Amino acid sequence: MKILMKIVLVICLMWIVMPVSGQSQARFPKPEFDTGYVQPDPSTPEPRALAMDYFDVFVLILVLSLATYFAIRRRSRGGILLLSVFTLIYFGFFRNGCICSIGAIQNVALTLFDPNYSISLVALLFFIIPLLFTLFFGRTFCAGACPLGAIQDLLIFKPISIPVWLRKGLGLIPFLYLGLAVLFAATGTDFIICRWDPYVGIFRMDARFIMIVLGVAMLLIGLFVARPYCRFLCPYGVLLNWTSRFSKYHMAITPSSCINCKLCETSCPFDAIDIPQEQAPASARQSDLKKFLVYLLIIPLLMGAGAFIGYKSHVFLSKAHSDVYLAELLIKHPEVKNDIDNLDVQAFLSAGETLDTLVKKAGVIRAKFKTGSWILGAFMGLVIGVSLLAQTTHRKNDDYRPDKGNCYSCGRCMDYCPVEK
Amino acid sequence: MDTEQKIKLVNRLVAGTAIFATMVAIILLLNYYQTSKLDPVESGVIGALVERLDQEPNNEALKLEIRQLDLLARKAYFTSAWQVRTGGFILLFAGILLGILLKILYDLKASIKEPDPEELDNQAARKNSTRWIWAIGGLVFIASLISAYITQDHLANYDDFKLAQLQAVESETASNEIEVVELGVGNEEPGIGNEDAGVGNEEPGIGSEEPGVGNRESGIGSEERDQGPGTTDHGPDPRALGPGSSQYPFFRGFMSNGVSFHKNIPVEWDGASGSNIIWKVAIPRHGYNSPIYWDNKLFLAGGDAEAREVFCYDRNTGEMLWQKLVTDVEGSPAKAPKVTSDTGLSAPTMATDGKKVFAIFGTGDIIAFDMNGNRVWARNLGVPDNHYGHSSSLICWDDKVIVLYDTNNGGKIMAVNVNDGKTMWQHKRNNRISWSSPVLAEIDDKMVILTTTDPLIAAHDLKTGEELWQVECLMGEVGASAAYGSGLVFGANEYARLVAIKPGAEPEIVWENDEYLPEVATPVESDGLLFIGTSYGVFACYNALTGEKFWEYEANQGFYASPIIADGKVYAIDMDGLMHIFALDKELKVIGVPKLGEKAVATPAFADGRIYIRGNNNLYCIGQK
């Protein structure tokens, strides 16, 4: 098995090397002497036909429907596996990981806050359709229609169980990521979900070196920690988690009644099975109630503290915007104007814009950050408060059943259930 | 097939796929290494052949050999690149296959794991979770707070920044004014004035041979000079020479505006056959500066990494009157700065006031000789940080030599005293490097210096150097200088735009155009017509007042030399040495395209019945034989 691990590592290293050659080819200079060859006029590549974009929407609906069918009706892990392979090939390698529902969050955020930006119908559909499916059938999108989920799911090798306390703690990160992604998109700063997508470099066979390293590292981690991106980073997962909790037709481990045989207890690599729980003793219930009330009172305080910290952080966060960064650079280091290697500065100088105008633009952006940052801080305070609140509740549970919020409907557990329909 | 047999089969498939993937990976690594080593652009063989081609530019067989070698190298490179990419895909699919097989193997070997016999302590787990939520949530808040308090808000300091900038400019202006006063006192020293006067008297009568010089020596000329700014005894005021001036004292002639008032300019010659070539002499040292003359003395400079020189010729015979090396200049670098071959170390054109002649080089050395070749003074202005090489030409006016010194480390325009080379005024410029030259213009009865750079066209007071106005309208690597005529200032640069500016305290852009833009050649205006020569061979004529294009003409080669208007015609020499002569008219009328017989990038100098052209290797005097 160690040999196999080494082979996997070698392959991963190869993936790092390949994009480098691609980049060098792209920058190949033309001959220095006249050859008589007429250089073609550079032109903008034709945009992808709209019909093909709608075809993507059709494929998404088809894959979601099949995933739902395999998870709920057919109860076929094999079907979901094959669907994952198709999704990986089509939405991953063929469509280069774009468009994707995760990134569509940013398009939606930008269109809500920037009147000059109009979201495409395709992006909107990619954002909404998985949520609608999840609202009724659980996270079948994660099971078979998400290329990021597929690449991770197919490479789960020997998953280890993550302690519940660590899961709960790390579970705050996707909320923060979601908040930052919305803030940066709404202020027109950046689409950070796309920029820092660890797998898109692998889909495209080309990316910055750091992103390739990040992607390979995530895949290696994913060999043992199943779906690390989905569980501890994915901002779309936050929305899917919320909607999935209300899903009426979520897949079940057992096709009829659970016999508590415990066979499925360790089958989920994502620790998303709720095991049977006894009723808590009366003393514990009283203590939980007190804690519940305390945390209920603390939540506004946490939100206030978060809003204050967010407000204070707006200067720091706004530096991610190129105009703010450039304006501050030119104020702090005016001599940088003479640095011909600083392309940002030279592009600004070449555009003929004055520093006054740039500073004004930067001021407008900073004002947006001022508002957005305190809202983000308050949101994080609320998330922390609600997460604490959730730890004070104890629900009696008689059966082994999926944790609706965190279950990806992958169907692994169903194969372990001996109960016939 | 039972499970054991399946496991055995999958095991073998896994091993086979793994070996295959490893082999592909090794081949890919070797191929990538080979591709990175065999860069055809860095090929030593092709480089050597290209060097040989520079010496034998007409060797067609050599050209063919280079092309074939280059094609071969490129084919090899792209084939290797294709192999790397294709191999990458094969490796990817092998990796996927390996993953699937491993998965199947794992599933075949898998057995149901027994549940943890210990019951999960739900209370304890919730307690732990609460702690970790506090810890990680707290960490996020504390990290945000720390980042908030260590971050500096530079935007909030913008007003202070502007104030500091303003104070710096005021302080600079104040110090410049002080310098002018101090040096002005120096000018009152009787010795200097007398000495200059003496030099002037040494060459009596030369100018009187020319028709326009009579005005200079008349009382009218003297009166005008007395009224002029910064009037001193230092040589004649070119304005006093009048339209009939016979001199060509700096780049683009009298007033540096590219308009010559000389007559009987030839329109036919042939360098190869010698037709209408009065004389031709080899230039001892290479340079791109243009010829200038005063009376019968014509000046050129040359320079390379070995040495820098100034040459003086008899413009009537081509005889070399004197040749002086530029050595022992205090502060001059021991090793010449690295410059590109298309600019070199001697691109700036010299200037003369009729008593002294001034030259500047890419080393930062500026030197003055008297008309007999005796060194008067020399100094180094600091080695210019200029990635192509310093190319801004000199202008001489009254007692000042005007130097535009834009470098990568900041720019300045300065005036040095013609007698001792000391700085009279200096004005720092807040702009990028440029390669253009200062241009004189008399606007609203005031002598000003016009400059072009990235991002602006600016006017400076000739007397003090004070910036009178500026308009931000250019960008990129500005090589073309400004032009002035019909009451408008014109500036243009390739990849930017052509603008016409109405000068004044509040200058405004009257019109702009971006169809044809010069890279090096300076536009020229006369009689309401503006002419542009581009580096890609298009020569265009515009209505100077409205920007309407009257005509365009396409030459086979581009224009680096600036066009000159003389004798009712426009003379524009292209880089192949073909002089395109057009009528000064809003209709395109090509009068002739005589050949020099060698490449040329310097701007010609005009005299009555004569044109002086610097080719790449020779200096020509052209006129009716």
Side-chain angles (χ1 to χ4, degrees):
Chain A
M1 205 51 74
K2 282 182 182 173
I3 294 168
L4 288 176
M5 283 301 299
K6 284 177 186 172
I7 291 166
V8 172
L9 280 173
V10 168
I11 291 166
C12 294
L13 284 172
M14 289 307 97
W15 278 341
I16 295 170
V17 170
M18 281 184 302
V20 179
S21 62
Q23 283 166 5
S24 57
Q25 187 181 336
R27 294 180 60 81
F28 199 83
K30 62 182 182 181
E32 288 175 358
F33 51 82
D34 294 331
T35 60
Y37 173 72
V38 179
Q39 291 282 341
D41 284 335
S43 58
T44 310
E46 289 290 317
R48 196 164 183 264
L50 192 60
M52 290 306 291
D53 284 345
Y54 286 122
F55 179 72
D56 289 343
V57 177
F58 168 74
V59 175
L60 176 70
I61 294 171
L62 186 71
V63 172
L64 272 169
S65 305
L66 282 172
T68 307
Y69 171 73
F70 285 132
I72 297 168
R73 293 280 297 174
R74 189 73 188 273
R75 296 175 55 78
S76 165
R77 168 63 193 156
I80 291 170
L81 193 66
L82 287 175
L83 213 52
S84 296
V85 173
F86 169 79
T87 295
L88 181 62
I89 292 168
Y90 184 79
F91 287 116
F93 289 103
F94 176 64
R95 295 290 292 115
N96 290 329
C98 188
I99 183 171
C100 87
S101 302
I102 305 170
I105 294 171
Q106 301 160 123
N107 300 78
V108 173
L110 186 57
T111 204
L112 286 175
F113 293 97
D114 184 352
N116 298 318
Y117 178 78
S118 173
I119 190 171
S120 75
L121 181 62
V122 174
L124 190 63
L125 290 173
F126 262 77
F127 176 74
I128 289 173
I129 291 170
L131 288 174
L132 284 176
F133 267 80
T134 307
L135 189 62
F136 292 99
F137 309 111
R139 299 173 68 169
T140 51
F141 169 76
C142 304
C146 175
L148 274 66
I151 195 169
Q152 294 173 87
D153 204 279
L154 293 170
L155 289 175
I156 297 169
F157 188 65
K158 199 166 185 179
I160 55 170
S161 178
I162 307 291
V164 65
W165 50 268
L166 190 55
R167 274 187 275 139
K168 296 289 179 190
L170 295 178
L172 295 177
I173 296 172
F175 291 92
L176 181 63
Y177 196 9
L178 174 67
L180 287 171
V182 170
L183 177 65
F184 284 155
T187 51
T189 302
D190 202 356
F191 276 20
I192 58 169
I193 297 173
C194 302
R195 185 176 293 281
W196 294 101
D197 181 341
Y199 305 108
V200 81
I202 293 163
F203 294 150
R204 295 176 186 180
M205 309 276 286
D206 190 7
R208 288 180 297 150
F209 180 75
I210 181 72
M211 291 311 297
I212 293 285
V213 170
L214 191 64
V216 172
M218 289 293 283
L219 288 181
L220 289 176
I221 292 168
L223 295 174
F224 309 102
V225 179
R227 291 194 181 221
Y229 184 84
C230 301
R231 292 160 81 189
F232 307 119
L233 281 168
C234 183
Y236 195 57
V238 172
L239 306 180
L240 293 170
N241 185 314
W242 287 341
T243 45
S244 184
R245 287 165 193 263
F246 301 100
S247 58
K248 192 177 175 185
Y249 307 105
H250 196 283
M251 63 147 281
I253 298 171
T254 179
S256 57
S257 299
C258 177
I259 55 170
N260 280 342
C261 64
K262 297 189 177 184
L263 286 173
C264 66
E265 190 172 306
T266 56
S267 65
C268 182
F270 317 114
D271 304 304
I273 293 177
D274 284 340
I275 59 172
Q277 295 286 335
E278 294 294 330
Q279 179 82 33
S283 58
R285 287 209 302 276
Q286 271 198 340
S287 165
D288 284 347
L289 183 63
K290 278 183 191 169
K291 284 180 188 166
F292 181 86
L293 291 171
V294 170
Y295 286 136
L296 209 57
L297 291 172
I298 283 178
I299 285 177
L301 294 177
L302 281 171
M303 288 177 70
F308 172 74
I309 292 167
Y311 173 79
K312 285 285 177 191
S313 305
H314 80 275
V315 172
F316 170 73
L317 291 171
S318 67
K319 287 172 189 279
H321 195 288
S322 56
D323 283 350
V324 179
Y325 161 78
L326 197 58
E328 293 211 321
L329 182 70
L330 288 166
I331 293 168
K332 192 182 176 195
H333 300 290
E335 72 281 1
V336 81
K337 280 184 178 177
N338 300 318
D339 180 2
I340 57 166
D341 294 327
N342 191 322
L343 297 182
D344 293 333
V345 172
Q346 295 312 318
F348 163 73
L349 294 174
S350 301
E353 198 179 343
T354 63
L355 185 56
D356 269 338
T357 320
L358 181 69
V359 170
K360 272 182 195 161
K361 276 163 66 178
V364 171
I365 292 154
R366 183 154 285 171
K368 287 183 184 174
F369 266 94
K370 198 181 276 185
T371 309
S373 299
W374 78 254
I375 294 172
L376 171 63
F379 170 72
M380 281 313 294
L382 178 68
V383 168
I384 294 167
V386 171
S387 301
L388 291 168
L389 206 63
Q391 301 313 306
T392 63
T393 57
H394 175 88
R395 277 177 299 174
K396 182 175 175 291
N397 181 18
D398 296 326
D399 302 331
Y400 283 89
R401 56 189 178 201
D403 169 358
K404 279 189 182 177
N406 292 313
C407 170
Y408 301 126
S409 299
C410 69
R412 282 182 176 82
C413 54
M414 296 185 297
D415 287 349
Y416 287 76
C417 185
V419 179
E420 298 282 331
K421 196 170 183 180
Chain B
M1 194 182 281
D2 61 19
T3 307
E4 274 196 18
Q5 285 173 318
K6 281 181 187 170
I7 290 173
K8 200 180 273 181
L9 176 66
V10 177
N11 250 332
R12 283 176 186 165
L13 286 171
V14 165
T17 313
I19 290 166
F20 174 74
T22 311
M23 283 172 66
V24 173
I26 291 168
I27 292 168
L28 267 180
L29 271 180
L30 290 173
N31 205 333
Y32 176 71
Y33 175 77
Q34 193 184 19
T35 308
S36 61
K37 288 286 169 193
L38 288 177
D39 185 350
V41 178
E42 299 298 326
S43 164
V45 180
I46 293 178
L49 290 176
V50 169
E51 271 181 27
R52 221 178 98 199
L53 187 65
D54 287 341
Q55 293 160 0
E56 306 168 38
N58 298 321
N59 189 338
E60 293 300 324
L62 188 57
K63 283 181 189 173
L64 188 66
E65 193 182 348
I66 293 172
R67 285 187 183 127
Q68 284 173 342
L69 258 178
D70 185 79
L71 184 65
L72 197 67
R74 281 164 194 275
K75 272 186 178 170
Y77 178 87
F78 281 109
T79 305
S80 287
W82 176 86
Q83 285 168 350
V84 168
R85 191 148 187 87
T86 310
F89 280 110
I90 294 172
L91 185 59
L92 175 69
F93 287 116
I96 291 169
L97 183 64
L98 188 61
I100 293 168
L101 288 170
L102 281 171
K103 183 69 196 162
I104 295 168
L105 185 66
Y106 177 72
D107 286 348
L108 285 171
K109 287 181 175 176
S111 56
I112 295 174
K113 215 167 100 182
E114 276 190 33
D116 197 338
E118 285 182 26
E119 288 286 323
L120 177 69
D121 183 350
N122 194 267
Q123 288 287 342
R126 284 194 286 152
K127 206 172 178 181
N128 259 339
S129 299
T130 304
R131 282 182 194 150
W132 275 87
I133 290 167
W134 274 118
I136 292 179
L139 197 68
V140 169
F141 276 5
I142 289 167
S144 305
L145 212 51
I146 290 171
S147 65
Y149 279 101
I150 62 171
T151 302
Q152 281 188 310
D153 185 355
H154 297 294
L155 284 185
N157 301 332
Y158 183 55
D159 288 341
D160 294 341
F161 168 79
K162 275 207 298 192
L163 193 64
Q165 294 280 88
L166 198 65
Q167 284 169 347
V169 170
E170 281 171 359
S171 159
E172 183 69 27
T173 309
S175 69
N176 285 340
E177 282 169 1
I178 290 164
E179 271 188 282
V180 173
V181 172
E182 283 174 351
L183 289 163
V185 171
N187 290 342
E188 289 168 7
E189 288 173 16
I192 297 170
N194 292 339
E195 181 191 323
D196 282 350
V199 174
N201 292 336
E202 277 173 22
E203 293 179 336
I206 296 171
S208 60
E209 289 168 10
E210 307 290 344
V213 175
N215 291 337
R216 172 163 70 96
E217 295 184 339
S218 72
I220 297 168
S222 304
E223 279 172 18
E224 283 182 359
R225 195 159 72 239
D226 289 343
Q227 289 164 359
T231 305
T232 67
D233 291 330
H234 302 289
D237 180 340
R239 280 179 303 158
L241 299 177
S245 166
S246 63
Q247 311 302 343
Y248 215 83
F250 25 77
F251 179 56
R252 298 171 71 232
F254 175 65
M255 289 295 283
S256 66
N257 61 357
V259 179
S260 164
F261 298 104
H262 300 88
K263 301 291 179 192
N264 305 318
I265 309 296
V267 293
E268 288 178 355
W269 63 85
D270 182 48
S273 66
S275 166
N276 278 347
I277 306 293
I278 294 176
W279 54 259
K280 169 187 170 183
V281 291
I283 303 167
R285 201 175 289 276
H286 188 62
Y288 293 113
N289 58 84
S290 306
I292 60 164
Y293 67 78
W294 192 277
D295 293 338
N296 68 335
K297 289 180 177 175
L298 184 146
F299 301 96
L300 282 181
D304 51 34
E306 284 178 5
R308 271 69 61 197
E309 282 184 279
V310 171
F311 313 112
C312 174
Y313 296 89
D314 183 324
R315 76 175 177 91
N316 296 314
T317 63
E319 180 196 352
M320 173 90 77
L321 297 177
W322 51 264
Q323 176 179 1
K324 295 289 177 183
L325 277 170
V326 179
T327 55
D328 301 325
V329 179
E330 193 179 342
S332 183
K335 190 181 172 189
K338 196 176 175 186
V339 293
T340 56
S341 60
D342 57 359
T343 304
L345 287 162
S346 184
T349 297
M350 298 168 64
T352 179
D353 63 355
K355 296 191 177 96
K356 298 182 194 68
V357 60
F358 311 95
I360 188 168
F361 298 91
T363 51
D365 292 342
I366 181 168
I367 193 163
F369 295 96
D370 68 19
M371 302 303 269
N372 296 318
N374 299 309
R375 177 164 161 168
V376 182
W377 54 262
R379 62 181 282 201
N380 185 276
L381 301 176
V383 181
D385 178 2
N386 190 318
H387 45 282
Y388 297 139
H390 182 72
S391 67
S392 183
S393 301
L394 299 174
I395 281 182
C396 179
W397 188 264
D398 289 340
D399 55 350
K400 301 176 187 71
V401 180
I402 307 299
V403 184
L404 180 61
Y405 214 61
D406 286 340
T407 73
N408 285 318
N409 293 328
K412 62 184 175 185
I413 185 165
M414 60 194 293
V416 299
N417 190 289
V418 292
N419 292 315
D420 54 19
K422 286 183 179 172
T423 302
M424 298 180 75
W425 53 254
Q426 176 175 306
H427 181 84
K428 274 193 182 173
R429 284 152 60 82
N430 186 22
N431 57 261
R432 286 192 62 198
I433 186 171
S434 78
W435 290 264
S436 61
S437 300
V439 170
L440 281 174
E442 187 170 7
I443 301 174
D444 296 335
D445 296 328
K446 191 172 198 174
M447 289 304 294
V448 301
I449 308 159
L450 301 171
T451 63
T452 56
T453 183
D454 179 357
L456 47 90
I457 297 175
H460 293 261
D461 186 336
L462 178 66
K463 195 176 175 185
T464 65
E466 178 196 357
E467 187 177 273
L468 301 172
W469 53 262
Q470 59 158 269
V471 176
E472 289 197 10
C473 54
L474 297 180
M475 64 177 192
E477 296 186 329
V478 177
S481 311
Y484 179 68
S486 296
L488 296 173
V489 175
F490 304 93
N493 190 49
E494 202 167 51
Y495 306 119
R497 52 186 171 163
L498 162 65
V499 294
I501 297 167
K502 188 178 175 188
E506 291 182 0
E508 57 176 308
I509 294 177
V510 179
W511 58 263
E512 61 179 79
N513 196 309
D514 60 4
E515 188 177 3
Y516 296 118
L517 301 168
E519 182 189 356
V520 178
T522 297
V524 64
E525 194 277 349
S526 182
D527 297 278
L529 301 173
L530 179 74
F531 298 93
I532 301 284
T534 69
S535 59
Y536 44 90
V538 174
F539 196 83
C541 170
Y542 291 88
N543 183 332
L545 299 175
T546 64
E548 177 196 357
K549 188 180 74 186
F550 284 137
W551 52 262
E552 65 187 60
Y553 166 90
E554 191 160 351
N556 288 330
Q557 184 55 277
F559 297 91
Y560 268 16
S562 300
I564 301 290
I565 291 170
D567 203 12
K569 297 180 260 310
V570 186
Y571 286 79
I573 189 164
D574 70 21
M575 285 187 269
D576 278 344
L578 270 67
M579 182 72 88
H580 303 266
I581 307 171
F582 310 98
L584 182 61
D585 198 294
K586 62 181 181 180
E587 301 290 331
L588 172 62
K589 290 173 193 164
V590 181
I591 293 170
V593 189
K595 293 177 186 173
L596 186 66
E598 71 174 278
K599 291 181 182 297
V601 294
T603 299
F606 290 74
D608 281 329
R610 300 279 188 275
I611 306 177
Y612 300 95
I613 304 178
R614 179 180 195 158
N616 271 10
N617 302 311
N618 299 291
L619 174 66
Y620 295 80
C621 173
I622 294 164
Q624 199 72 43
K625 271 187 176 175

